[in-house]
mmCIF file of all heavy atoms in Angstrom:
data_model
loop_
_atom_site.group_PDB
_atom_site.id
_atom_site.type_symbol
_atom_site.label_atom_id
_atom_site.label_comp_id
_atom_site.label_asym_id
_atom_site.label_seq_id
_atom_site.Cartn_x
_atom_site.Cartn_y
_atom_site.Cartn_z
ATOM 1 N N ILE A 546 -59.779 72.969 5.826
ATOM 2 C CA ILE A 546 -59.554 74.010 6.841
ATOM 3 C C ILE A 546 -60.478 75.202 6.568
ATOM 4 O O ILE A 546 -61.172 75.694 7.465
ATOM 5 C CB ILE A 546 -58.066 74.466 6.824
ATOM 6 C CG1 ILE A 546 -57.170 73.304 7.272
ATOM 7 C CG2 ILE A 546 -57.864 75.692 7.710
ATOM 8 C CD1 ILE A 546 -55.673 73.580 7.106
ATOM 9 N N LEU A 547 -60.534 75.624 5.305
ATOM 10 C CA LEU A 547 -61.335 76.813 4.973
ATOM 11 C C LEU A 547 -62.835 76.502 4.984
ATOM 12 O O LEU A 547 -63.641 77.335 5.397
ATOM 13 C CB LEU A 547 -60.903 77.369 3.612
ATOM 14 C CG LEU A 547 -59.430 77.821 3.547
ATOM 15 C CD1 LEU A 547 -59.088 78.312 2.147
ATOM 16 C CD2 LEU A 547 -59.145 78.918 4.570
ATOM 17 N N LEU A 548 -63.211 75.292 4.561
ATOM 18 C CA LEU A 548 -64.633 74.915 4.550
ATOM 19 C C LEU A 548 -65.177 74.884 5.982
ATOM 20 O O LEU A 548 -66.289 75.324 6.266
ATOM 21 C CB LEU A 548 -64.785 73.530 3.895
ATOM 22 C CG LEU A 548 -66.196 73.069 3.569
ATOM 23 C CD1 LEU A 548 -66.840 73.978 2.532
ATOM 24 C CD2 LEU A 548 -66.196 71.628 3.040
ATOM 25 N N LYS A 549 -64.363 74.363 6.871
ATOM 26 C CA LYS A 549 -64.757 74.309 8.290
ATOM 27 C C LYS A 549 -65.020 75.720 8.831
ATOM 28 O O LYS A 549 -65.963 75.947 9.581
ATOM 29 C CB LYS A 549 -63.597 73.690 9.082
ATOM 30 C CG LYS A 549 -64.001 72.514 9.923
ATOM 31 C CD LYS A 549 -62.886 72.136 10.871
ATOM 32 C CE LYS A 549 -63.128 72.751 12.230
ATOM 33 N NZ LYS A 549 -62.018 72.721 13.122
ATOM 34 N N GLU A 550 -64.161 76.651 8.424
ATOM 35 C CA GLU A 550 -64.313 78.035 8.887
ATOM 36 C C GLU A 550 -65.539 78.716 8.273
ATOM 37 O O GLU A 550 -66.027 79.714 8.797
ATOM 38 C CB GLU A 550 -63.068 78.853 8.509
ATOM 39 C CG GLU A 550 -61.812 78.401 9.204
ATOM 40 C CD GLU A 550 -61.950 78.484 10.712
ATOM 41 O OE1 GLU A 550 -62.250 79.573 11.208
ATOM 42 O OE2 GLU A 550 -61.782 77.444 11.375
ATOM 43 N N ALA A 551 -66.020 78.187 7.151
ATOM 44 C CA ALA A 551 -67.130 78.836 6.434
ATOM 45 C C ALA A 551 -68.494 78.412 6.972
ATOM 46 O O ALA A 551 -69.517 78.953 6.558
ATOM 47 C CB ALA A 551 -67.025 78.523 4.936
ATOM 48 N N PHE A 552 -68.511 77.423 7.888
ATOM 49 C CA PHE A 552 -69.796 76.970 8.445
ATOM 50 C C PHE A 552 -69.892 77.280 9.931
ATOM 51 O O PHE A 552 -68.889 77.256 10.635
ATOM 52 C CB PHE A 552 -69.958 75.456 8.232
ATOM 53 C CG PHE A 552 -70.529 75.149 6.886
ATOM 54 C CD1 PHE A 552 -69.705 75.029 5.783
ATOM 55 C CD2 PHE A 552 -71.902 75.027 6.719
ATOM 56 C CE1 PHE A 552 -70.231 74.776 4.531
ATOM 57 C CE2 PHE A 552 -72.432 74.784 5.463
ATOM 58 C CZ PHE A 552 -71.598 74.649 4.367
ATOM 59 N N PRO A 553 -71.100 77.558 10.419
ATOM 60 C CA PRO A 553 -71.257 77.826 11.848
ATOM 61 C C PRO A 553 -70.866 76.597 12.675
ATOM 62 O O PRO A 553 -71.077 75.469 12.243
ATOM 63 C CB PRO A 553 -72.764 78.099 12.012
ATOM 64 C CG PRO A 553 -73.344 78.140 10.657
ATOM 65 C CD PRO A 553 -72.360 77.586 9.691
ATOM 66 N N ASP A 554 -70.285 76.841 13.825
ATOM 67 C CA ASP A 554 -69.859 75.768 14.716
ATOM 68 C C ASP A 554 -70.589 75.969 16.047
ATOM 69 O O ASP A 554 -70.448 77.022 16.677
ATOM 70 C CB ASP A 554 -68.339 75.876 14.906
ATOM 71 C CG ASP A 554 -67.783 74.721 15.728
ATOM 72 O OD1 ASP A 554 -68.542 74.148 16.539
ATOM 73 O OD2 ASP A 554 -66.590 74.406 15.552
ATOM 74 N N LEU A 555 -71.361 74.944 16.454
ATOM 75 C CA LEU A 555 -72.141 75.061 17.699
ATOM 76 C C LEU A 555 -71.252 75.410 18.894
ATOM 77 O O LEU A 555 -71.671 76.094 19.816
ATOM 78 C CB LEU A 555 -72.856 73.742 17.980
ATOM 79 C CG LEU A 555 -74.048 73.414 17.078
ATOM 80 C CD1 LEU A 555 -74.624 72.050 17.425
ATOM 81 C CD2 LEU A 555 -75.120 74.504 17.207
ATOM 82 N N ARG A 556 -69.988 74.938 18.842
ATOM 83 C CA ARG A 556 -69.108 75.186 19.987
ATOM 84 C C ARG A 556 -68.627 76.632 20.043
ATOM 85 O O ARG A 556 -68.218 77.115 21.087
ATOM 86 C CB ARG A 556 -67.878 74.270 19.909
ATOM 87 C CG ARG A 556 -68.217 72.824 20.139
ATOM 88 C CD ARG A 556 -66.940 72.050 20.435
ATOM 89 N NE ARG A 556 -67.016 70.730 19.848
ATOM 90 C CZ ARG A 556 -66.007 69.885 19.763
ATOM 91 N NH1 ARG A 556 -64.824 70.236 20.215
ATOM 92 N NH2 ARG A 556 -66.156 68.700 19.236
ATOM 93 N N TYR A 557 -68.611 77.290 18.867
ATOM 94 C CA TYR A 557 -68.148 78.691 18.832
ATOM 95 C C TYR A 557 -69.169 79.544 18.091
ATOM 96 O O TYR A 557 -68.929 80.008 16.972
ATOM 97 C CB TYR A 557 -66.782 78.767 18.124
ATOM 98 C CG TYR A 557 -65.763 77.825 18.702
ATOM 99 C CD1 TYR A 557 -65.482 76.614 18.069
ATOM 100 C CD2 TYR A 557 -65.101 78.134 19.892
ATOM 101 C CE1 TYR A 557 -64.550 75.730 18.610
ATOM 102 C CE2 TYR A 557 -64.177 77.267 20.438
ATOM 103 C CZ TYR A 557 -63.909 76.053 19.783
ATOM 104 O OH TYR A 557 -62.993 75.185 20.328
ATOM 105 N N PRO A 558 -70.335 79.790 18.724
ATOM 106 C CA PRO A 558 -71.411 80.467 18.009
ATOM 107 C C PRO A 558 -71.076 81.896 17.587
ATOM 108 O O PRO A 558 -71.672 82.416 16.649
ATOM 109 C CB PRO A 558 -72.572 80.451 19.021
ATOM 110 C CG PRO A 558 -71.971 80.136 20.340
ATOM 111 C CD PRO A 558 -70.688 79.419 20.097
ATOM 112 N N ASP A 559 -70.102 82.534 18.252
ATOM 113 C CA ASP A 559 -69.805 83.933 17.927
ATOM 114 C C ASP A 559 -68.692 84.096 16.899
ATOM 115 O O ASP A 559 -68.337 85.213 16.518
ATOM 116 C CB ASP A 559 -69.395 84.694 19.203
ATOM 117 C CG ASP A 559 -70.549 84.700 20.202
ATOM 118 O OD1 ASP A 559 -71.710 84.687 19.745
ATOM 119 O OD2 ASP A 559 -70.283 84.683 21.419
ATOM 120 N N ARG A 560 -68.139 82.965 16.461
ATOM 121 C CA ARG A 560 -67.028 83.042 15.500
ATOM 122 C C ARG A 560 -67.506 83.624 14.164
ATOM 123 O O ARG A 560 -68.590 83.316 13.689
ATOM 124 C CB ARG A 560 -66.478 81.625 15.276
ATOM 125 C CG ARG A 560 -65.359 81.552 14.268
ATOM 126 C CD ARG A 560 -64.732 80.164 14.241
ATOM 127 N NE ARG A 560 -65.677 79.099 13.912
ATOM 128 C CZ ARG A 560 -66.082 78.797 12.675
ATOM 129 N NH1 ARG A 560 -65.673 79.515 11.643
ATOM 130 N NH2 ARG A 560 -66.915 77.802 12.468
ATOM 131 N N GLU A 561 -66.682 84.504 13.590
ATOM 132 C CA GLU A 561 -67.030 85.071 12.285
ATOM 133 C C GLU A 561 -66.819 84.005 11.200
ATOM 134 O O GLU A 561 -65.816 83.297 11.225
ATOM 135 C CB GLU A 561 -66.098 86.258 12.010
ATOM 136 C CG GLU A 561 -66.710 87.276 11.079
ATOM 137 C CD GLU A 561 -65.809 88.495 10.945
ATOM 138 O OE1 GLU A 561 -65.487 89.110 11.993
ATOM 139 O OE2 GLU A 561 -65.435 88.793 9.816
ATOM 140 N N LEU A 562 -67.779 83.891 10.272
ATOM 141 C CA LEU A 562 -67.663 82.849 9.254
ATOM 142 C C LEU A 562 -66.676 83.263 8.165
ATOM 143 O O LEU A 562 -66.656 84.406 7.741
ATOM 144 C CB LEU A 562 -69.024 82.554 8.619
ATOM 145 C CG LEU A 562 -70.091 81.999 9.571
ATOM 146 C CD1 LEU A 562 -71.334 81.602 8.781
ATOM 147 C CD2 LEU A 562 -69.570 80.812 10.370
ATOM 148 N N GLY A 563 -65.874 82.292 7.736
ATOM 149 C CA GLY A 563 -64.902 82.556 6.673
ATOM 150 C C GLY A 563 -65.541 82.471 5.294
ATOM 151 O O GLY A 563 -66.673 82.001 5.146
ATOM 152 N N ILE A 564 -64.830 82.960 4.315
ATOM 153 C CA ILE A 564 -65.297 82.886 2.922
ATOM 154 C C ILE A 564 -64.191 82.232 2.097
ATOM 155 O O ILE A 564 -63.012 82.568 2.270
ATOM 156 C CB ILE A 564 -65.590 84.304 2.372
ATOM 157 C CG1 ILE A 564 -66.785 84.903 3.111
ATOM 158 C CG2 ILE A 564 -65.837 84.276 0.864
ATOM 159 C CD1 ILE A 564 -66.996 86.377 2.838
ATOM 160 N N ILE A 565 -64.575 81.299 1.243
ATOM 161 C CA ILE A 565 -63.581 80.724 0.332
ATOM 162 C C ILE A 565 -63.706 81.472 -0.985
ATOM 163 O O ILE A 565 -64.756 81.434 -1.628
ATOM 164 C CB ILE A 565 -63.824 79.213 0.114
ATOM 165 C CG1 ILE A 565 -63.955 78.497 1.463
ATOM 166 C CG2 ILE A 565 -62.690 78.616 -0.708
ATOM 167 C CD1 ILE A 565 -64.264 77.014 1.350
ATOM 168 N N GLU A 566 -62.639 82.185 -1.342
ATOM 169 C CA GLU A 566 -62.691 83.001 -2.563
ATOM 170 C C GLU A 566 -62.821 82.129 -3.804
ATOM 171 O O GLU A 566 -62.300 81.012 -3.847
ATOM 172 C CB GLU A 566 -61.390 83.831 -2.693
ATOM 173 C CG GLU A 566 -61.117 84.783 -1.533
ATOM 174 C CD GLU A 566 -62.086 85.964 -1.472
ATOM 175 O OE1 GLU A 566 -62.750 86.229 -2.494
ATOM 176 O OE2 GLU A 566 -62.183 86.604 -0.396
ATOM 177 N N GLY A 567 -63.489 82.646 -4.826
ATOM 178 C CA GLY A 567 -63.554 81.958 -6.125
ATOM 179 C C GLY A 567 -64.548 80.814 -6.146
ATOM 180 O O GLY A 567 -65.271 80.574 -5.173
ATOM 181 N N ASN A 568 -64.584 80.133 -7.281
ATOM 182 C CA ASN A 568 -65.498 79.003 -7.455
ATOM 183 C C ASN A 568 -64.710 77.780 -7.868
ATOM 184 O O ASN A 568 -63.647 77.897 -8.468
ATOM 185 C CB ASN A 568 -66.523 79.328 -8.550
ATOM 186 C CG ASN A 568 -67.456 80.431 -8.097
ATOM 187 O OD1 ASN A 568 -68.116 80.311 -7.068
ATOM 188 N ND2 ASN A 568 -67.480 81.521 -8.842
ATOM 189 N N PRO A 569 -65.280 76.583 -7.586
ATOM 190 C CA PRO A 569 -64.595 75.380 -8.054
ATOM 191 C C PRO A 569 -64.575 75.370 -9.587
ATOM 192 O O PRO A 569 -65.537 75.834 -10.209
ATOM 193 C CB PRO A 569 -65.460 74.229 -7.539
ATOM 194 C CG PRO A 569 -66.441 74.828 -6.598
ATOM 195 C CD PRO A 569 -66.531 76.284 -6.884
ATOM 196 N N PRO A 570 -63.500 74.880 -10.197
ATOM 197 C CA PRO A 570 -63.437 74.869 -11.662
ATOM 198 C C PRO A 570 -64.248 73.735 -12.261
ATOM 199 O O PRO A 570 -64.586 72.774 -11.568
ATOM 200 C CB PRO A 570 -61.949 74.616 -11.930
ATOM 201 C CG PRO A 570 -61.500 73.802 -10.759
ATOM 202 C CD PRO A 570 -62.302 74.299 -9.587
ATOM 203 N N GLN A 571 -64.594 73.866 -13.525
ATOM 204 C CA GLN A 571 -65.117 72.735 -14.291
ATOM 205 C C GLN A 571 -63.895 72.129 -14.976
ATOM 206 O O GLN A 571 -63.192 72.821 -15.712
ATOM 207 C CB GLN A 571 -66.090 73.240 -15.354
ATOM 208 C CG GLN A 571 -67.341 73.851 -14.754
ATOM 209 C CD GLN A 571 -68.591 73.115 -15.195
ATOM 210 O OE1 GLN A 571 -68.714 72.748 -16.348
ATOM 211 N NE2 GLN A 571 -69.512 72.890 -14.288
ATOM 212 N N ASN A 572 -63.632 70.873 -14.751
ATOM 213 C CA ASN A 572 -62.409 70.265 -15.265
ATOM 214 C C ASN A 572 -62.679 69.544 -16.572
ATOM 215 O O ASN A 572 -63.511 68.641 -16.620
ATOM 216 C CB ASN A 572 -61.855 69.283 -14.248
ATOM 217 C CG ASN A 572 -61.582 69.945 -12.912
ATOM 218 O OD1 ASN A 572 -60.761 70.862 -12.840
ATOM 219 N ND2 ASN A 572 -62.288 69.535 -11.879
ATOM 220 N N MET A 573 -61.980 69.952 -17.620
ATOM 221 C CA MET A 573 -62.141 69.294 -18.912
ATOM 222 C C MET A 573 -60.958 68.348 -19.129
ATOM 223 O O MET A 573 -59.810 68.701 -18.849
ATOM 224 C CB MET A 573 -62.192 70.325 -20.047
ATOM 225 C CG MET A 573 -63.268 71.404 -19.894
ATOM 226 S SD MET A 573 -64.950 70.796 -19.609
ATOM 227 C CE MET A 573 -65.293 70.008 -21.181
ATOM 228 N N GLY A 574 -61.245 67.151 -19.607
ATOM 229 C CA GLY A 574 -60.178 66.192 -19.924
ATOM 230 C C GLY A 574 -59.453 65.685 -18.699
ATOM 231 O O GLY A 574 -60.008 65.642 -17.603
ATOM 232 N N GLU A 575 -58.176 65.341 -18.890
ATOM 233 C CA GLU A 575 -57.395 64.752 -17.801
ATOM 234 C C GLU A 575 -57.130 65.799 -16.710
ATOM 235 O O GLU A 575 -56.795 66.946 -17.025
ATOM 236 C CB GLU A 575 -56.059 64.240 -18.363
ATOM 237 C CG GLU A 575 -55.323 63.359 -17.377
ATOM 238 C CD GLU A 575 -53.883 63.065 -17.816
ATOM 239 O OE1 GLU A 575 -53.557 63.322 -18.995
ATOM 240 O OE2 GLU A 575 -53.109 62.600 -16.979
ATOM 241 N N VAL A 576 -57.271 65.391 -15.471
ATOM 242 C CA VAL A 576 -57.039 66.338 -14.374
ATOM 243 C C VAL A 576 -55.648 66.060 -13.807
ATOM 244 O O VAL A 576 -55.471 65.195 -12.954
ATOM 245 C CB VAL A 576 -58.125 66.191 -13.285
ATOM 246 C CG1 VAL A 576 -57.905 67.203 -12.178
ATOM 247 C CG2 VAL A 576 -59.507 66.379 -13.905
ATOM 248 N N ASP A 577 -54.634 66.798 -14.325
ATOM 249 C CA ASP A 577 -53.269 66.549 -13.862
ATOM 250 C C ASP A 577 -52.765 67.757 -13.066
ATOM 251 O O ASP A 577 -51.674 68.251 -13.255
ATOM 252 C CB ASP A 577 -52.348 66.212 -15.041
ATOM 253 C CG ASP A 577 -52.460 67.245 -16.157
ATOM 254 O OD1 ASP A 577 -53.192 68.244 -15.959
ATOM 255 O OD2 ASP A 577 -51.824 67.067 -17.210
ATOM 256 N N TYR A 578 -53.631 68.238 -12.187
ATOM 257 C CA TYR A 578 -53.308 69.387 -11.327
ATOM 258 C C TYR A 578 -54.202 69.287 -10.102
ATOM 259 O O TYR A 578 -55.158 68.499 -10.085
ATOM 260 C CB TYR A 578 -53.577 70.715 -12.055
ATOM 261 C CG TYR A 578 -54.938 70.734 -12.724
ATOM 262 C CD1 TYR A 578 -56.081 71.161 -12.042
ATOM 263 C CD2 TYR A 578 -55.105 70.279 -14.042
ATOM 264 C CE1 TYR A 578 -57.327 71.145 -12.643
ATOM 265 C CE2 TYR A 578 -56.355 70.258 -14.645
ATOM 266 C CZ TYR A 578 -57.455 70.693 -13.937
ATOM 267 O OH TYR A 578 -58.691 70.663 -14.520
#
Side-chain angles (χ1 to χ4, degrees):
I546 294 172
L547 299 178
L548 190 64
K549 234 191 97 193
E550 295 301 304
F552 275 86
D554 185 334
L555 287 177
R556 291 196 216 170
Y557 307 101
D559 298 329
R560 178 172 59 80
E561 206 174 303
L562 297 187
I564 293 169
I565 309 177
E566 301 290 343
N568 292 303
Q571 294 240 319
N572 302 298
M573 304 307 293
E575 192 191 346
V576 182
D577 51 4
Y578 48 88

